[in-house]
Amino acid sequence: QVQLVESGGGLVQAGGSLRLSCAASRIIFRINVMAWYRQAPGKQRELVAAITSGAGTNYLDSVKGRFTITRDNAKNAVYLQMNSLKSEDTDVYYCDAEAGGVRIWGQGTQVTVSA
């Protein structure tokens, strides 16, 4: 079974940066969209950024200009560069991939931004 493995979360001060990485445990063909979501306890999961196989991108309004999503199709990997972090960015971040109508989720990585 294919898994998405995330890394790069942690604790950072406000104004700092983190880079999240996510890669599939084995090669998956025809991944259409890869994305990052985040979720706080008791809240709905929200889309942070998404990128298509053609490198088209979409961002949550509150992260535009601060976060950048990229992907490496050869490695089935997606990255999220997060700059100018704010305390409200504190959440568990999840990687997501869609291939052939099937959604695959990572296990989540905690990002904590201290004021």
Side-chain angles (χ1 to χ4, degrees):
Q1 184 174 356
V2 178
Q3 293 180 322
L4 295 177
V5 181
E6 298 143 340
S7 61
L11 173 65
V12 64
Q13 288 187 332
S17 298
L18 283 175
R19 184 174 187 255
L20 304 184
S21 299
C22 170
S25 57
R26 63 175 176 84
I27 296 298
I28 311 170
F29 294 104
R30 293 185 297 276
I31 294 181
N32 297 316
V33 180
M34 301 190 81
W36 289 94
Y37 286 74
R38 65 188 184 188
Q39 186 172 23
K43 294 188 177 181
Q44 284 192 330
R45 192 170 294 188
E46 65 177 357
L47 176 66
V48 177
I51 184 167
T52 68
S53 57
T57 58
N58 183 41
Y59 292 94
L60 181 68
D61 284 346
S62 62
V63 308
K64 286 180 180 177
R66 300 188 297 121
F67 290 11
T68 302
I69 187 170
T70 56
R71 67 188 279 176
D72 184 332
N73 291 328
K75 296 181 180 180
N76 281 174
V78 63
Y79 310 96
L80 187 67
Q81 178 66 43
M82 305 186 293
N83 299 328
S84 302
L85 282 161
K86 305 175 181 180
S87 56
E88 51 263 42
D89 295 319
T90 295
D91 266 325
V92 178
Y93 284 70
Y94 296 89
C95 174
D96 164 68
E98 184 273 316
V102 177
R103 300 285 295 276
I104 307 168
W105 291 94
Q107 79 285 358
T109 185
Q110 177 70 47
V111 171
T112 302
V113 184
S114 63

